[in-house]
Amino acid sequence: QIDMDIENGEVLPVEDKKVKKEEPTVPAEESGDRKDAGSATEGVPEVKVKMEPEENVKGEPIEEKIEGTKVPEQGVGDAKIRFPSPVFSSRPAKTSLMLSELSYRTGPTIDLYPLENYTFDSKPPEIKKDKTVTDRLLRMEANYKQRGRRETVEGVLITHDHGFPHVLLLQINSAFFKLPGGRLRPGENEVDGLKRKLTNRLASIHEDFRPKWEIGDLLSVWYRPTFEPYHYPYNPPHVTAPKERRRLFLIPLPEKCLFVVPSNLKLRAVPLFELYDNANRYGPVISSLPQLLSRFHFNINR
């Protein structure tokens, strides 16, 4: 007697009915694929494969231990080959060590205090040595012949307004901005010179009310290769003797202090987003401050 099955409207021969159908023993994800295949696999006898423990060439079984995230080892003669695995191991995986070494790290921390914590006053005007930029460059050229390269130091003072960092800038007239600082005297080091310049520009004439300046990290170094207004954050390779070296230092501010500014200058708190990519208004040095300060973590004190 011939048994027949009907599938998709066709008469097909069926395998011997004596073959007992068994449930698949493959993993769940594979069995799901087989079920989706329909009757293409129906009637096919399942073969159970008994998995024996692996042995090395010496005929010894290989032991595997579950110890968190480990790497199994299989023996090949006297050598061992390591196969990465998220579960089995005989020693810690290198990836877990790398993740611990690459843990999140913040940069140096700067304490910022509200702008309203500081008091502002004025003092007698500062005597201007130059009326125009051209006059200043001519004077710089004359000093270069006598003293050599001009060494300039400037301070970056940061506060916050409504939780956002602001940089304190000196405004001359209505359109020119600069950082507080100036030229070093011959033989004067940058720390003493910058403290002297900050006191002249921002501190009271009375010593008891002057802030105790702290000189922080060096943020950047700029060079003026010729007696022109252009500065670069490197010394051009064709220039052997730059005419000016300009160094910017971070100045951590105390929680409260008094700023006293010459009456012909104005001290402005300018937000970082105003400085960013705004060289047309602030020049390339000041407009680079958002990038220079991005490596710091700002601790906003209310």
Side-chain angles (χ1 to χ4, degrees):
Q1 183 179 358
I2 301 176
D3 292 330
M4 308 294 289
D5 261 356
I6 299 177
E7 179 179 0
N8 298 328
E10 298 180 1
V11 178
L12 303 174
V14 180
E15 299 293 337
D16 189 358
K17 292 296 184 176
K18 293 182 181 181
V19 178
K20 184 179 179 181
K21 296 183 180 180
E22 297 181 0
E23 292 297 325
T25 59
V26 295
E29 60 270 13
E30 297 184 9
S31 62
D33 295 339
R34 292 199 174 196
K35 290 180 180 180
D36 293 340
S39 59
T41 58
E42 292 182 1
V44 179
E46 298 291 343
V47 179
K48 291 186 178 181
V49 179
K50 184 177 180 182
M51 303 298 294
E52 298 292 341
E54 298 181 4
E55 297 182 353
N56 57 22
V57 294
K58 296 182 179 180
E60 300 173 351
I62 300 173
E63 296 182 359
E64 293 181 344
K65 299 180 181 180
I66 300 178
E67 298 177 0
T69 305
K70 301 250 180 171
V71 176
E73 294 186 353
Q74 291 190 3
V76 180
D78 294 332
K80 291 184 178 180
I81 302 177
R82 305 179 72 237
F83 297 93
S85 170
V87 177
F88 302 100
S89 161
S90 60
R91 11 183 164 152
K94 290 184 178 180
T95 53
S96 60
L97 179 60
M98 292 174 60
L99 291 175
S100 64
E101 291 177 350
L102 298 178
S103 59
Y104 177 73
R105 300 174 183 176
T106 58
T109 299
I110 306 175
D111 286 319
L112 301 186
Y113 298 97
L115 184 61
E116 55 265 22
N117 277 21
Y118 302 104
T119 306
F120 300 90
D121 202 352
S122 63
K123 57 185 177 183
E126 186 180 73
I127 299 176
K128 292 184 177 181
K129 298 180 180 179
D130 309 300
K131 294 182 179 180
T132 64
V133 175
T134 303
D135 293 340
R136 183 171 183 271
L137 294 176
L138 291 175
R139 182 171 59 88
M140 183 183 300
E141 185 174 2
N143 290 336
Y144 179 82
K145 294 177 181 179
Q146 298 178 359
R147 306 172 185 172
R149 183 178 64 188
R150 176 187 174 96
E151 297 289 344
T152 302
V153 288
E154 296 174 339
V156 179
L157 293 73
I158 311 174
T159 179
H160 80 82
D161 189 22
H162 300 290
F164 195 84
H166 286 56
V167 178
L168 297 181
L169 300 177
L170 289 169
Q171 182 180 5
I172 304 173
N173 298 327
S174 59
F176 185 72
F177 294 86
K178 66 177 183 178
L179 293 165
R183 179 181 60 85
L184 294 177
R185 293 170 178 170
E188 187 178 32
N189 66 63
E190 59 270 19
V191 174
D192 294 337
L194 183 52
K195 288 182 178 180
R196 176 177 59 82
K197 284 296 183 180
L198 291 175
T199 299
N200 292 342
R201 294 288 174 85
L202 303 177
S204 172
I205 58 176
H206 302 289
E207 189 173 353
D208 295 339
F209 298 98
R210 294 175 181 175
K212 295 182 179 179
W213 305 112
E214 295 183 12
I215 310 302
D217 293 1
L218 175 65
L219 297 179
S220 64
V221 181
W222 294 74
Y223 295 89
R224 187 197 298 268
T226 61
F227 296 110
E228 296 180 358
Y230 308 110
H231 286 85
Y232 302 92
Y234 54 87
N235 186 36
H238 64 279
V239 177
T240 57
K243 306 307 181 279
E244 180 184 13
R245 182 173 64 171
R246 187 176 175 185
R247 286 171 286 182
L248 275 60
F249 292 87
L250 180 67
I251 309 298
L253 288 179
E255 184 177 358
K256 295 181 179 181
C257 72
L258 171 65
F259 292 107
V260 183
V261 184
S263 58
N264 56 343
L265 301 177
K266 296 179 181 179
L267 190 61
R268 301 291 191 186
V270 183
L272 289 182
F273 62 77
E274 169 69 14
L275 301 178
Y276 176 69
D277 198 23
N278 199 354
N280 291 334
R281 180 171 176 78
Y282 298 100
V285 177
I286 294 178
S287 63
S288 70
L289 290 177
Q291 292 95 319
L292 297 176
L293 295 171
S294 63
R295 69 184 181 94
F296 293 92
H297 169 69
F298 297 121
N299 182 27
I300 305 298
N301 294 276
R302 305 292 180 178

